[in-house]
Every structure is written in C-alpha cells, then in structure tokens.
Amino acid sequence: MNFPLLRWLHAHFDLSADMAEPAEIMTDVEEGLAFRGTNLWVLIFAILVASVGLNVNSTAVIIGAMLISPLMGPIVGIGFGAATVEVDLIRRGVKNLLVATGISLLVSAAYFKLTPLTDAGSELLARTTPTTWDVAIALFGGAAGAIGFTRRERGNVVPGVAIATALMPPLCTAGYGLATAHWAYFGGALYLFSINCVFISLATFLVARLLPLPHHTFAHGPKGRRVQWAIWAVALLTAGPSVYLAAGIVRNTVFAHNAERFVEEQLNRPGTYVVTHRVAAGPRTINVLLAGQLLTPAQLATARASLGKYRLARTQLTVRQGLSHIDSADAQTLRSSLFEDLRSHNEQAMAGYDARLAQLQQVLGQRDSVAAGPRLPSAAALLREVQVEHPAVRQLGLSRLATPAADSLRADTTLVVQVRTRGPLPAAEQTRLRQWLRLRTGGQQPVQVLVEAAQPGSKGVR
C-alpha cells in the first residue's frame, strides 16, 4: 500500500535528477573560493555599495550590494568540503573567508570614517541584534542555495539566497561600529555575519551529503568523522547565543503587546484620554499620562489589580493625571506623534491627489484619442481644402484645449483652429468657415476659430 506513495515521493523529491556533473560542481566551487583579480574588485565595490546603502538608509541599494557580493563562494566551499571530506577545500575556504572579512571590515570602516553622515539608520540598526530567526533564515536559505548551486540550470535561486541571507550588510555594519567606536554594533553585526556563514555552510553540508557526490576517504576513519563533527560543534556554539537573544525579543514583544492592551482597555475610559504612555520591558514599567476626567483611587486600584490578567504581574504602573504632570519625555513623545500623524496625513493626501490626477489624465487621453480619430485631417490637408473656398486663408494651425467639467471626473475638449488671412476676413465668411470646419471635423466636439491677418511675407502651415 505504501510502495506507490514511496515511488511518488521519490519521483517528486529526488534531487539527483537534474543535478550537474560532480566535476562541474567541484569546478564551480573552486572558482568561487579565491579572492583575487575580478572577485576581489567586485568584493570591494559591493562593500562600498552596501556601505552607502546603510549610510543613506536605502533598502534598494543594500539589495543591489547583496546581489553582486561574491562572499557566498568560500562559505559554500567550506560546507561542500566538509560534506565531501576534502580537508584542503575546507582550509582554503576558511582562509579566503577570513581574508574577505578583513578586507570588508577595512573598506567599510574607511568609508564610514570619511562620510559626513554619521547617524545610524534603521537599516543599519537592524543588523546589530541577531536572533534565532536569523539562524533559520541562514539555514533554509543556505539549503536553497546549495540545491540551486548543484543544478544544471541554476535559475534565480542563488541571487535570491544572496538577498535572503544578507552577508554583506552585517559586515558593513561591523565596519561602522569599528569606525565610530560603537563596539556593541560591531559585536552584534559580526555575530550576525558569523551566524550566516556557519549555517549556510551547515546547510550546504547537509544538502551535499544527500547528493550522490564522490567523497574523499582517509586512511584512518576517525579523522573523517572528526572533520564532519567539527562543523556540527561550531554550528551549535554559534546558535546558542542567538537563542538567548531571540527569547529576549519574544519576551519584550509580548510584554509590550500586553501593556498596550492594558492601557487601552483599563485606562482609556469615557471622558479620560491617554495623552502618552511609555512601556519599558526590561524594568517592567508602564508610565501613563492621562487628561480629562480624573480616575478615582478606586478605579486606579481596580486597574492595578487587573495587571495579572494581562500577564503583567510584578509590573510597576505609574499613572499621572493632568497636563501639569507632563515631563520632557512626554513632550518629546507628543512631538513625535504629531509629526508622524502629519506625515501620514500628507502621504494619504498626496496619494489621493496622484490617483485623481491619473484618473483625469486617463479620461483626457481617451477623449483625445477619440478627437484625433480618422475624421480629423492634418493641418496641411485641412489648409488645402479651406483654400478652395477661402483663398484669403494663408496659414492654418490645429490645437486642442481641455476644459474640466464641473464634476472634475471628465473634461470637454475644444478644437482650436487658428487661421491667418491675406487681409481681414468678413464676418459672414468667418461664420461659413466655422460651420464648414465643424462639419469637416465630425461635429463631435466644439470648434473655435481664431482669425488674424498675416504679417507681410508669412505663409505656410502651423
């Protein structure tokens, strides 16, 4: 009963069907190891691109640096060497990775030492606190990269892995910490880079072990086993601190969420308004400033008694009532909140204006396309026809004037015909010319005729 299922699973999940030749895979691994010539220059330029992206807080620029970075080569080489028990490959991969890391730190530190922009943006700060999720990203991304790297047709897997695992930005963040003496940034970013390196190598090791690749054999079996166990030991030692950091982030996030619920449900009552509230997960404190109707001592006691229901036991609650109790931190919070609300309102207004403008342009384009249909001749052709009945006409120009209607959702288009005559054109002849032009252009739109006497020596079509 299970045999058909096993055959189906094998047919759909078999990794060896489109695998490249082992010699070709080994050649690609060897080419990605060395940092000299092209690879070295590309590394330096990728470092500078990533540093600029972090400096100006541009996500698009940072992604570009990830795509051109050659750092994946030695990391994949280490994992591939561990899977095939090629100690020389592991040794060269570690050596070249250390060289690339040193160059990256020096170049990024030099950039951040010279740049006039010294503030740490959100993109840079995001690379200073690694967690268990970074371990998972590196492991799963490395596995996808290893599978893509060993295929005959690689597709877009490897560039996607380069973006997901983000090897270059942590190194440049570490360079920023080195240049500005922010050692916490330096350590956190370097640790994130180490996580990515170790777990991409581990994922490459696991995938390569599943593939039918030739393995190097040692004269003494225990030596090969020690090589393979070493990468597991390094992976576990690297992952340990990230688990602790991730647990802290989860704990702080849960505390902040519960505190927000508590303030909204227990203190934001009818007639009473929460002006500001500050939540600190580390010391477990909630500081609230209220305005409007004052809460009675009994109501405050009830709110404090309900802290346990929100999993906020042993939390210090400070409630200040009345704007006379405002402090500098409250003022800063209010300013930030006002600026954020103003920015959000402006963005929404601009989005509405852009949408209305696009709608109007679309309507105008549709009406122009109708007006410019086959019934409307060119100015030159129209001039020749007009001169048959009105020889005094010497020049003729066509243009369209869009006049918005009252509802602002559609527009009327007036065809403007400007003619120049040899001399003044009688009113009756102007009326006949206007009627003829309206009929000649299809009668689907208003026609306005502007008549003026031509200057001596001028002729032609406009």
Side-chain angles (χ1 to χ4, degrees):
M1 178 178 179
N2 290 330
F3 290 109
L5 177 61
L6 291 177
R7 287 195 297 270
W8 183 88
L9 291 173
H10 181 269
H12 285 77
F13 290 92
D14 183 22
L15 289 175
S16 60
D18 60 340
M19 188 185 80
E21 294 296 326
E24 181 183 348
I25 297 174
M26 181 60 74
T27 301
D28 291 338
V29 171
E30 293 276 356
E31 289 177 353
L33 277 179
F35 277 99
R36 63 171 65 92
T38 301
N39 276 0
L40 184 58
W41 281 107
V42 171
L43 173 66
I44 292 173
F45 292 140
I47 295 163
L48 292 173
V49 170
S51 298
V52 172
L54 291 171
N55 200 198
V56 301
N57 211 43
S58 172
T59 304
V61 174
I62 297 170
I63 292 175
M66 298 176 196
L67 287 173
I68 63 177
S69 168
L71 279 174
M72 284 284 289
I75 299 173
V76 170
I78 294 170
F80 193 83
T84 57
V85 204
E86 293 284 350
V87 178
D88 181 64
L89 198 61
I90 299 174
R91 187 181 299 114
R92 288 162 52 203
V94 171
K95 175 185 174 182
N96 290 326
L97 181 60
L98 292 176
V99 170
T101 302
I103 293 173
S104 300
L105 288 175
L106 290 176
V107 173
S108 58
Y111 170 83
F112 284 110
K113 200 72 176 177
L114 297 174
T115 180
L117 304 176
T118 57
D119 293 336
S122 59
E123 290 288 347
L124 192 145
L125 294 175
R127 272 83 183 182
T128 59
T129 309
T131 65
T132 306
W133 290 282
D134 295 301
V135 173
I137 291 170
L139 186 62
F140 301 145
I147 292 174
F149 189 81
T150 55
R151 302 302 97 186
R152 288 192 294 268
E153 299 291 338
R154 295 185 183 179
N156 61 353
V157 175
V158 175
V161 171
I163 295 173
T165 53
L167 291 164
M168 188 60 68
L171 266 183
C172 295
T173 302
Y176 172 85
L178 188 63
T180 58
H182 283 81
W183 303 116
Y185 293 174
F186 176 80
L190 208 56
Y191 178 43
L192 175 57
F193 175 72
S194 301
I195 285 176
N196 289 336
C197 292
V198 169
F199 282 91
I200 291 173
S201 293
L202 178 61
T204 304
F205 166 79
L206 295 175
V207 171
R209 292 294 295 178
L210 294 174
L211 298 175
L213 296 171
H215 296 168
H216 179 80
T217 56
F218 290 95
H220 302 285
K223 184 176 182 180
R225 286 192 294 271
R226 284 198 301 270
V227 171
Q228 295 180 7
W229 279 107
I231 194 169
W232 284 103
V234 172
L236 292 175
L237 290 174
T238 305
S242 70
V243 176
Y244 172 76
L245 292 173
I249 289 177
V250 171
R251 184 170 58 250
N252 294 344
T253 303
V254 171
F255 178 85
H257 175 71
N258 292 338
E260 294 283 349
R261 284 184 53 226
F262 168 80
V263 171
E264 179 65 26
E265 296 175 7
Q266 297 297 325
L267 301 178
N268 196 14
R269 301 191 176 192
T272 303
Y273 307 97
V274 177
V275 180
T276 64
H277 64 283
R278 302 195 297 271
V279 176
R284 296 184 68 85
T285 60
I286 302 175
N287 194 315
V288 184
L289 175 64
L290 302 179
Q293 184 178 345
L294 300 181
L295 298 182
T296 64
Q299 290 174 319
L300 291 176
T302 302
R304 285 190 170 88
S306 65
L307 284 170
K309 295 192 302 183
Y310 294 88
R311 295 195 294 176
L312 297 172
R314 299 185 302 280
T315 298
Q316 179 183 352
L317 174 63
T318 302
V319 178
R320 293 166 294 133
Q321 302 194 70
L323 295 180
S324 60
H325 295 86
I326 193 169
D327 57 21
S328 59
D330 293 324
Q332 181 63 32
T333 303
L334 281 173
R335 282 196 296 268
S336 301
S337 177
L338 288 174
F339 285 141
E340 181 63 27
D341 290 344
L342 181 61
R343 185 188 62 82
S344 177
H345 175 75
N346 288 339
E347 288 181 352
Q348 292 176 359
M350 290 302 297
Y353 295 151
D354 290 342
R356 177 61 62 88
L357 179 60
Q359 186 180 20
L360 287 174
Q361 288 175 337
Q362 182 180 7
V363 171
L364 287 174
Q366 292 173 349
R367 294 184 65 89
D368 283 348
S369 63
V370 172
R375 291 174 179 259
L376 183 61
S378 65
L382 197 59
L383 175 62
R384 290 193 295 270
E385 296 180 17
V386 167
Q387 287 177 333
V388 174
E389 295 291 334
H390 307 276
V393 175
R394 304 300 301 274
Q395 291 182 310
L396 184 146
L398 297 176
S399 61
R400 295 182 183 86
L401 176 65
T403 305
D407 59 5
S408 298
L409 293 178
R410 57 183 179 82
D412 293 327
T413 303
T414 300
L415 179 64
V416 179
V417 182
Q418 183 178 7
V419 296
R420 287 186 179 182
T421 61
R422 185 181 299 108
L425 199 64
E429 190 171 352
Q430 290 187 28
T431 302
R432 292 200 309 274
L433 176 60
R434 185 178 295 106
Q435 293 174 347
W436 181 86
L437 286 171
R438 184 176 294 111
L439 292 175
R440 182 63 183 84
T441 55
Q444 300 296 321
Q445 57 188 329
V447 178
Q448 182 177 358
V449 180
L450 303 178
V451 181
E452 61 177 314
Q455 297 296 327
S458 63
K459 60 180 181 177
V461 180
R462 291 191 305 117

